[in-house]
Amino acid sequence: MTAYSEHQHAPSSDASGTAGPERSRTEPSAERAHTPYPYAPGTGSRRYWCEWAWLGGEAPEPGVLLEVDRAGRLASVSRGAPPADAERLTGLTLPGLANAHSHAFHRALRGRTHSGEGHGAGGHGHGGSFWTWREVMYRAAERLDPDSYYRLARATYAEMALAGVACVGEFHYLHHGPGGHRYTDPNAMSEALVAAAADAGIRITLLDVCYLSGGLDEHGSHLPLTGPQLRFGDDTVGAWAERVSAFTPGGAHARVGVAAHSVRAVPGPDLPEVAGFADQGGLPLHVHVSEQPAENAACLAAHGLTPVRVLAEAGALTERTTLVHATHLTDADVDALRTHGSAVCLCPTTERDLADGLPRTGDLVAAPHRVPLSLGTDQHAQLDLFEEARAVELHERLRTHRRGTLGSGTLLRAATAAGHSGLGWHDAGALLPGSRADLVNVPLDSVRLAGADPERATDAVVFAATAADVRHVMVDGQWAVRDGVHVRLPDTARELDAAIKELL
């Protein structure tokens, strides 16, 4: 029995997109049970000749030969003419992208929350803020169960694969049933997300979120969890840690990390225990930080410190820590990140959609102690890592009235190696011998890229390409996307449409 199957699993789709027969409550999905991940043994090594490949610098390299071994890793990376037995990959080939911050169920809100939330999810009101958007998000969270979450996440992760994403960091706080009642398997929702990633052909770091409080009021007092928030909580940090410790994800494609949702949702006295749990396991630790000025004001009222300083006092800032958003930082906050070697994950589409503000990106990456940057699509208002990468630089231009703070090479590193490293996959995100064979191939002949100078293909892709330009995607030596079509979910749009209509 699949561990998360608390309810009747709806008909799943096979590789052709055809719905399979209905299964009983206890019968596992044959599709999931037999998904070969991460690599089908016995295939043998293969060679791919890249017309242009990005090897980590500011410009691409011409004529790069990649050899992929039977374990799904790059056996060699060399320059030269194309051998007869190599598949030619025209255009630019990149390492697999990493989406370092995702809330999969938010994908259901796309197109429903952007012009104002005052009249509900289907309304046409004006205005709104992060806080009104959050109420709409809570209403969507109320309707999910492990089976419907599996279907929505599988389709969302397939959309990620189509956009070149090889690995996702799922910031997972939708743990329990309505009213906070635990499923028979307390990690049923976690199992659903891990299965969804496997069936979409990508890796996942499940960032299990500690979420104990309903927020801070204007006086700095922590509020109890209420309504849909009850599904997020584990009552105590000890109960959260016990549940996380009991979860071992199935498959080599999945790892566990941890998160404190925010200083709003985890009281200060509990933060050291969350940080200690991450330290004990050597796990990535992610935290929402300073996304909104109101969060900073409430934190100052509660602690007399900024959120970053609260985390520092709790021992939660380490080289394994990634702070998400970090939009409203003080000079002392920036210095603390540099001192502790912590990273920042920027989600520019969300940050502008929710009117969060412009982060101090140039200050974060200033020499000599640069803060590592990664990228996320967060609420998935759109799912395009190229857009997120260029927005980091373009937002900084709006903030400073200067161009060229971050070049295309730096932005691609944020979308690849830095994101993978922040999720605990230190052997991914680069086209180097021994690295995981994750490839993203982008032709240069689309209407957006036609006429581009191939010697500056990295600039063209970062500043002009979209997810629609991705042609082939390989993850751990297996093709997840061929010719712009997902191998396992060829009608991804239909899968998304069905999953979202079922939910809303």
Side-chain angles (χ1 to χ4, degrees):
M1 175 178 177
T2 47
Y4 75 86
S5 186
E6 294 285 330
H7 304 281
Q8 170 67 40
H9 180 69
S12 61
S13 298
D14 60 23
S16 67
T18 304
E22 193 171 283
R23 298 181 175 90
S24 72
R25 293 178 182 268
T26 58
E27 186 179 356
S29 162
E31 178 188 12
R32 291 192 301 283
H34 297 100
T35 297
Y37 198 99
Y39 193 75
T43 306
S45 63
R46 293 149 294 145
R47 298 204 284 179
Y48 302 92
W49 185 83
C50 307
E51 185 180 22
W52 295 88
W54 180 67
L55 302 182
E58 289 300 315
E61 301 290 336
V64 175
L65 179 65
L66 306 175
E67 183 174 0
V68 178
D69 67 23
R70 64 193 305 269
R73 292 185 177 268
L74 293 174
S76 65
V77 179
S78 59
R79 295 277 299 275
D85 64 341
E87 178 180 344
R88 295 174 64 102
L89 300 177
T90 59
L92 178 67
T93 299
L94 307 164
L97 309 180
N99 188 352
H101 188 70
S102 162
H103 303 291
F105 77 89
H106 291 193
R107 174 62 180 84
L109 303 179
R110 185 184 297 177
R112 301 173 185 268
T113 62
H114 309 298
S115 62
E117 292 74 51
H119 299 292
H124 300 284
H126 298 286
S129 67
F130 166 85
W131 308 101
T132 54
W133 167 87
R134 188 177 69 161
E135 294 306 313
V136 181
M137 179 270 288
Y138 284 164
R139 289 198 289 273
E142 285 184 296
R143 300 182 173 100
L144 284 161
D145 61 33
D147 291 329
S148 60
Y149 203 6
Y150 162 75
R151 290 188 287 276
L152 177 59
R154 179 182 62 173
T156 301
Y157 294 157
E159 185 184 1
M160 288 186 197
L162 288 166
V165 172
C167 182
V168 62
E170 184 60 39
F171 200 92
H172 171 49
Y173 54 81
L174 187 52
H175 301 305
H176 307 300
H181 299 293
R182 291 195 170 200
Y183 294 106
T184 303
D185 174 2
N187 288 299
M189 294 295 246
S190 299
E191 289 282 4
L193 291 165
V194 168
D199 288 354
I202 67 173
R203 293 189 300 275
I204 184 171
T205 295
L206 189 85
L207 299 163
D208 196 297
V209 177
C210 185
Y211 200 127
L212 304 176
S213 163
L216 288 165
D217 65 20
E218 65 273 16
H219 306 296
S221 298
H222 279 276
L223 302 170
L225 298 175
T226 60
Q229 292 176 331
L230 292 169
R231 302 192 68 176
F232 310 159
D234 287 287
D235 298 326
T236 68
V237 67
W240 165 80
E242 182 179 3
R243 180 180 54 76
V244 178
S245 297
F247 178 60
T248 301
H253 73 296
R255 293 179 180 174
V256 171
V258 296
H261 179 273
S262 59
V263 297
R264 293 181 287 110
V266 181
D270 291 316
L271 284 168
E273 191 170 347
V274 175
F277 183 85
D279 288 342
Q280 184 179 11
L283 303 175
L285 172 63
H286 288 222
V287 191
H288 289 135
V289 167
S290 295
E291 183 176 1
Q292 289 283 328
E295 174 187 333
N296 284 5
C299 186
L300 286 167
H303 304 285
L305 299 170
T306 65
V308 168
R309 296 303 300 274
V310 170
L311 293 171
E313 294 285 333
L317 293 186
T318 73
E319 292 182 352
R320 289 176 287 98
T321 302
T322 297
L323 305 184
V324 182
H325 302 303
T327 308
H328 302 281
L329 301 181
T330 66
D331 290 343
D333 292 339
V334 174
D335 289 342
L337 297 185
R338 291 174 175 159
T339 298
H340 294 282
S342 301
V344 166
C345 177
L346 299 174
C347 308
T349 297
T350 289
E351 288 147 13
R352 63 174 177 254
D353 179 52
L354 299 182
D356 288 343
L358 298 173
R360 300 173 55 178
T361 306
D363 298 331
L364 291 170
V365 301
H369 303 295
R370 303 176 189 273
V371 175
L373 299 181
S374 58
L375 303 175
T377 61
D378 195 4
Q379 60 162 326
H380 315 310
Q382 62 181 6
L383 223 164
D384 189 335
L385 265 292
F386 298 140
E387 169 60 27
E388 304 298 342
R390 66 174 155 267
V392 171
E393 164 64 15
L394 298 183
H395 284 191
E396 185 66 0
R397 294 181 187 185
L398 290 175
R399 189 181 75 90
T400 64
H401 310 287
R402 294 193 304 270
R403 303 178 79 214
T405 300
L406 298 98
S408 59
T410 301
L411 295 169
L412 283 174
R413 284 189 288 277
T416 55
H420 287 289
S421 181
L423 297 174
W425 303 88
H426 301 287
D427 55 353
L431 300 182
L432 295 171
S435 294
R436 293 173 179 271
D438 299 342
L439 309 180
V440 178
N441 177 248
V442 182
L444 301 178
D445 57 0
S446 74
V447 68
R448 288 164 293 277
L449 298 175
D453 178 357
E455 294 186 356
R456 301 189 63 180
T458 50
D459 289 344
V461 167
V462 168
F463 289 101
T466 73
D469 291 306
V470 172
R471 177 171 53 190
H472 306 308
V473 180
M474 178 183 287
V475 180
D476 281 323
Q478 283 196 6
W479 290 115
V481 174
R482 286 295 253 172
D483 295 313
V485 177
H486 197 281
V487 172
R488 295 172 181 168
L489 280 77
D491 196 347
T492 304
R494 184 184 66 81
E495 298 273 352
L496 280 163
D497 184 68
I500 293 169
K501 286 179 176 175
E502 174 190 3
L503 179 64
L504 300 178

